[in-house]
């Protein structure tokens, strides 16, 4: 049975079916065309109400980018058979001409290097001939045009300095990072040692300072330190609340409470407000 089934098939026909179809780049990636009214579907970003024309989708300021797609530039591209690029019309004959006969470009003759004038020798010759005016020097230079030869130029050029045979050129490599010092906090220890040494030096400098005699206070210094006493007026309380004790105590101990009250009394003279608990009267 298998032979009978395969006997009816044409092998040449099977080979023709298996041949791949030639596809160009334009078939795989077809050129993108500008949007038209027929391309718009309900729910798209460029869906519009009212009168819609194809020219609206050719304006890059109006066309919106679709979700998940690149933005349309609204440029009309040529067809599939268009070849992009610059066509160069060669005149060399192509590959067959290159294989059979190679056209070698002849080297252009270079202009000879013009030697510089030797003004020192020309001026010397003009003086020896007795020519001192500008016109006479000009005529002498036209008749005796002396040039500096290449050998003289070599003599004037500086030769490179002699270099030792074992010299190494280039930039010196950066030293490796001290990872062990970083892991052991070596730089922290060095900084702590420097700070301790600085503190010791400051203490020694203070000890070596000459202690001056006793300083007497003047009237201005005493007035500067003087704090005028403040007369505290008792706060007014309603009669039926005078014998009621406090229900909230925010101080840990009675000593802390008295210390805070004492500091408040000392600052009453320089604070604002009825209860003297506002801002300071001076900065």
């Amino acid at each position: 049975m298998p032979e009978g089934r395969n006997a009816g098939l044409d092998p040449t026909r099977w080979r023709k079916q298996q041949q791949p179809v030639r596809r160009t780049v334009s078939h795989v990636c077809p050129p993108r065309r500008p949007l038209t009214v027929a391309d718009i579907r309900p729910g798209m970003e460029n869906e519009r109400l009212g009168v819609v024309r194809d020219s609206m989708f050719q304006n890059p300021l109006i066309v919106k980018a679709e979700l998940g797609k690149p933005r349309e530039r609204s440029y009309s591209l040529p067809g599939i058979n268009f070849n992009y690029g610059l066509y160069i019309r060669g005149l060399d004959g192509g590959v067959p001409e290159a294989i059979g006969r190679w056209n070698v470009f002849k080297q252009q003759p270079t202009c000879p290097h013009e030697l510089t004038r030797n003004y020192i020798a020309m001026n010397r010759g003009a003086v020896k001939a007795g020519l001192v005016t500008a016109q006479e020097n000009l005529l002498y230079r036209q008749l005796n045009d002396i040039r500096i030869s290449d050998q003289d130029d070599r003599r004037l050029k500086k030769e490179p300095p002699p270099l030792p045979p074992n010299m190494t050129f280039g930039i010196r490599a950066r030293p490796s990072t001290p990872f062990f010092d970083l892991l052991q906090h070596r730089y922290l220890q060095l900084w702590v040692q420097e700070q301790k040494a600085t503190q010791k030096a400051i203490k020694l400098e203070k000890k070596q300072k000459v202690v001056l005699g006793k300083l007497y206070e003047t009237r201005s210094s005493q007035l500067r330190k003087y704090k005028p006493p403040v007369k505290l007026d008792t706060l007014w309380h309603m009669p039926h609340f005078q014998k009621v004790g406090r229900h909230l105590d925010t101080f840990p101990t009675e000593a802390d409470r008295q210390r805070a009250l004492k500091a408040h009394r000392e600052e009453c003279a320089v604070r604002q407000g009825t209860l003297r608990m506002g801002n300071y009267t001076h900065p």
Side-chain angles (χ1 to χ4, degrees):
M1 288 298 290
E3 294 179 359
R5 289 179 182 175
N6 295 333
L9 296 177
D10 188 3
T12 58
R13 181 182 176 186
W14 180 256
R15 291 195 193 94
K16 288 181 180 178
Q17 290 180 357
Q18 292 223 348
Q19 290 181 357
V21 180
R22 296 184 62 185
R23 298 173 66 88
T24 61
V25 178
S26 299
H27 290 88
V28 177
C29 300
R32 302 183 64 190
R33 303 290 180 179
L35 291 174
T36 59
V37 179
D39 298 334
I40 303 302
R41 299 288 183 270
M44 296 181 66
E45 293 289 340
N46 292 292
E47 184 183 7
R48 294 181 175 276
L49 299 176
V51 180
V52 183
R53 298 182 299 274
D54 290 340
S55 59
M56 294 181 178
F57 303 107
Q58 298 177 2
N59 190 349
L61 301 177
I62 300 177
V63 177
K64 299 180 181 179
E66 298 291 340
L67 182 62
K69 295 182 181 180
R71 184 182 181 87
E72 297 284 347
R73 292 301 175 187
S74 307
Y75 295 140
S76 59
L77 301 178
I80 299 176
N81 298 326
F82 181 79
N83 295 325
Y84 292 89
L86 179 64
Y87 181 76
I88 301 175
R89 300 181 181 274
L91 302 177
D92 55 354
V95 177
E97 189 71 18
I99 295 175
R101 179 172 53 85
W102 186 263
N103 294 328
V104 181
F105 292 95
K106 295 181 180 180
Q107 186 177 4
Q108 297 290 339
T110 58
C111 59
H113 178 63
E114 185 178 0
L115 302 178
T116 57
R117 282 186 170 186
N118 193 347
Y119 292 98
I120 298 176
M122 288 188 292
N123 292 341
R124 188 187 306 112
V127 171
K128 288 181 180 180
L131 306 175
V132 294
T133 62
Q135 185 67 23
E136 293 173 350
N137 278 330
L138 180 61
L139 295 175
Y140 182 84
R141 290 175 184 175
Q142 292 178 356
L143 296 174
N144 303 289
D145 192 6
I146 304 174
R147 301 281 178 169
I148 300 176
S149 63
D150 295 338
Q151 297 180 357
D152 297 339
D153 289 342
R154 293 175 189 170
R155 199 162 39 87
L156 297 175
K157 292 180 180 178
K158 293 183 180 180
E159 297 182 357
L163 299 176
N166 299 330
M167 183 175 180
T168 304
F169 297 90
I171 302 174
R172 184 174 297 178
R174 185 180 65 85
S176 59
T177 305
F179 287 103
F180 291 100
D181 293 343
L182 293 174
L183 295 175
Q184 296 175 0
H185 304 285
R186 179 62 180 169
Y187 297 102
L188 175 61
Q189 297 174 4
L190 294 176
W191 181 81
V192 172
Q193 293 177 3
E194 291 178 359
Q195 295 298 321
K196 289 181 179 179
T198 305
Q199 294 296 332
K200 288 182 180 179
I202 293 173
K203 289 181 180 179
L204 290 175
E205 186 179 357
K206 288 182 178 180
K207 288 182 179 179
Q208 293 177 358
K209 283 185 178 179
V210 180
V211 180
L212 301 177
K214 185 178 180 181
L215 299 177
Y216 295 93
E217 294 185 356
T218 59
R219 183 175 180 82
S220 60
S221 63
Q222 292 178 355
L223 291 174
R224 204 176 293 120
K225 296 179 182 180
Y226 176 72
K227 297 179 181 179
V230 179
K231 184 179 180 181
L232 297 177
D233 298 333
T234 58
L235 299 177
W236 179 82
H237 295 278
M238 295 180 70
H240 56 280
F241 287 128
Q242 291 181 358
K243 297 182 179 181
V244 178
R246 60 180 180 273
H247 295 278
L248 181 63
D249 193 358
T250 57
F251 296 97
T253 59
E254 184 64 23
D256 295 336
R257 180 173 176 276
Q258 295 297 333
R259 194 181 304 111
L261 291 175
K262 181 181 179 182
H264 173 65
R265 296 191 193 97
E266 292 177 354
E267 294 182 355
C268 282
V270 294
R271 282 185 177 270
Q272 298 177 354
T274 307
L275 301 179
R276 299 297 179 178
M277 299 179 65
N279 297 332
Y280 291 95
T281 55
H282 61 84

